[in-house]
Amino acid sequence: MGIYTFKEWLSFEDAAAWLSDATGESYDENSILRLALKGRVPVHYWPTDDAQIVLYRVEHDLASVNPVVEAFVRLDLSGCEPICLVDGPVPIRNFGIFFPSSQNNKAPGMVGLSAYPEEESGEYGCYRLGEDDRPQSIIEGRFEVLIHLSDLQQLRAGLPMPRARQPHDLIMGYANIDGVMESFPLARSTAEWSDYPDSDLPLPQLVGDPESKTEPLLRVLGLAAHLIADLGKQLDAHEQIESSKRRYMKGVDPNISRISQALADVASGIRLEGHNFKGAGFSKLLTKALRELE
């Protein structure tokens, strides 16, 4: 089975292997890079360090200059307005400009990703979320450039001379979190993606004494439970309606069932499910962690 098996989002290495197997021809990462630089296959940006990507309305330092944000641009940070979070991989509309910029992080200014949301006026760009909600260069942290499987399939259908294609856009919408009545604005790629890229983390392997390795982590988690309980107690002190209290404390101890349910609700809202980190899984883990503090 190939390195791309069961993946919806493929790296250039994955894409080269997929295309080689699908056509019987030989492709490598440089082949895919050339196709992307020529605009023959759409590509996306994905942070691999858990950074939040935000769509901003941007202002330049010099009003007479209107550069492409994939180049190094000097922004007027005080005039940049955050619009909404971007969910999932972000379309790279000008990869031919972005790629050389990403290879040089010493130039002045910041690199972003161009965006043209519908029914919006002004200039927009996607940046990492920095301090005080201000934009941070998209190349500041770790990231990957990925290709969606459906785009790779269209590329194959157009061989041997695939035509240039329009990059994907961002579409604006709203998202809801389970248990919360309000919705919040969210942008996402027009690519018909269904899941986030694989993290490619190694499968867990138990070597030696697993308890000795997990004990420090459990103690940290136990301390976190106490902190959550204490913060909940402080918030409850300000509630005027008894039914609105969170009750994260049970006497002088953390209320494990309430904390675990709250964590499970948050996990569900951000699609972090599995690995026993839901409901009873949280409760059992917290109970074990608190015992390490006794």
Side-chain angles (χ1 to χ4, degrees):
M1 300 177 75
I3 59 174
Y4 51 79
T5 305
F6 305 129
K7 289 185 178 181
E8 181 180 359
W9 294 96
L10 283 70
S11 67
F12 283 13
E13 180 185 10
D14 296 333
W18 185 94
L19 201 58
S20 297
D21 289 346
T23 63
E25 302 291 336
S26 179
Y27 294 91
D28 58 16
E29 292 181 62
N30 286 330
S31 305
I32 305 301
L33 175 60
R34 288 194 297 272
L35 289 167
L37 288 172
K38 292 179 180 179
R40 300 186 189 278
V41 58
V43 294
H44 286 73
Y45 168 98
W46 177 248
T48 55
D49 53 5
D50 297 324
Q52 289 185 313
I53 308 302
V54 171
L55 173 67
Y56 288 87
R57 182 182 290 110
V58 297
E59 294 287 344
H60 303 132
D61 277 348
L62 301 175
S64 60
V65 178
N66 186 33
V68 178
V69 299
E70 278 81 2
F72 285 90
V73 176
R74 294 182 182 273
L75 297 180
D76 175 9
L77 296 181
S78 63
C80 293
E81 177 189 358
I83 303 301
C84 66
L85 288 172
V86 181
D87 183 34
V90 187
I92 304 178
R93 296 191 56 85
N94 298 294
F95 185 65
I97 301 174
F98 172 80
F99 179 71
S101 298
S102 69
Q103 307 302 300
N104 176 21
N105 58 7
K106 296 182 179 179
M110 290 196 296
V111 176
L113 299 173
S114 297
Y116 306 98
E118 295 181 358
E119 301 179 1
E120 296 285 349
S121 60
E123 186 171 359
Y124 292 82
C126 296
Y127 294 86
R128 287 169 173 257
L129 180 63
E131 294 184 1
D132 299 325
D133 291 339
R134 293 189 174 185
Q136 185 180 32
S137 181
I138 206 79
I139 63 173
E140 281 289 319
R142 300 189 306 275
F143 65 90
E144 289 183 322
V145 177
L146 302 174
I147 300 173
H148 192 262
L149 180 58
S150 63
D151 291 321
L152 196 59
Q153 291 169 334
Q154 289 192 46
L155 172 70
R156 180 202 172 190
L159 291 175
M161 288 298 292
R163 295 181 178 180
R165 292 180 54 199
Q166 287 294 320
H168 290 288
D169 287 316
L170 281 179
I171 53 176
M172 307 291 288
Y174 289 87
N176 296 298
I177 296 180
D178 293 341
V180 178
M181 297 297 294
E182 296 182 358
S183 59
F184 59 94
L186 200 66
R188 59 184 283 150
S189 171
T190 53
E192 295 184 1
W193 63 277
S194 60
D195 204 355
Y196 297 104
D198 294 340
S199 62
D200 283 334
L201 294 176
L203 294 176
Q205 296 181 350
L206 298 180
V207 180
D209 180 9
E211 292 298 327
S212 64
K213 294 186 177 182
T214 58
E215 180 179 341
L217 296 177
L218 288 173
R219 289 182 63 84
V220 171
L221 184 58
L223 290 170
H226 275 284
L227 177 60
I228 293 171
D230 187 62
L231 290 173
K233 183 179 180 180
Q234 295 179 39
L235 291 172
D236 285 345
H238 295 283
E239 292 288 356
Q240 297 181 357
I241 303 175
E242 182 68 21
S243 61
S244 298
K245 291 187 176 181
R246 293 163 176 79
R247 296 184 177 86
Y248 291 155
M249 292 287 287
K250 183 184 293 183
V252 295
D253 297 318
N255 186 341
I256 297 304
S257 62
R258 294 289 295 174
I259 294 176
S260 63
Q261 185 58 54
L263 292 175
D265 291 343
V266 173
S268 177
I270 62 175
R271 300 182 185 178
L272 176 63
E273 297 182 356
H275 306 290
N276 291 324
F277 290 157
K278 291 180 66 178
F282 271 131
S283 182
K284 291 176 182 177
L285 192 62
L286 287 175
T287 300
K288 189 174 183 180
L290 290 169
R291 286 174 180 167
E292 291 291 338
L293 299 179
E294 294 178 352

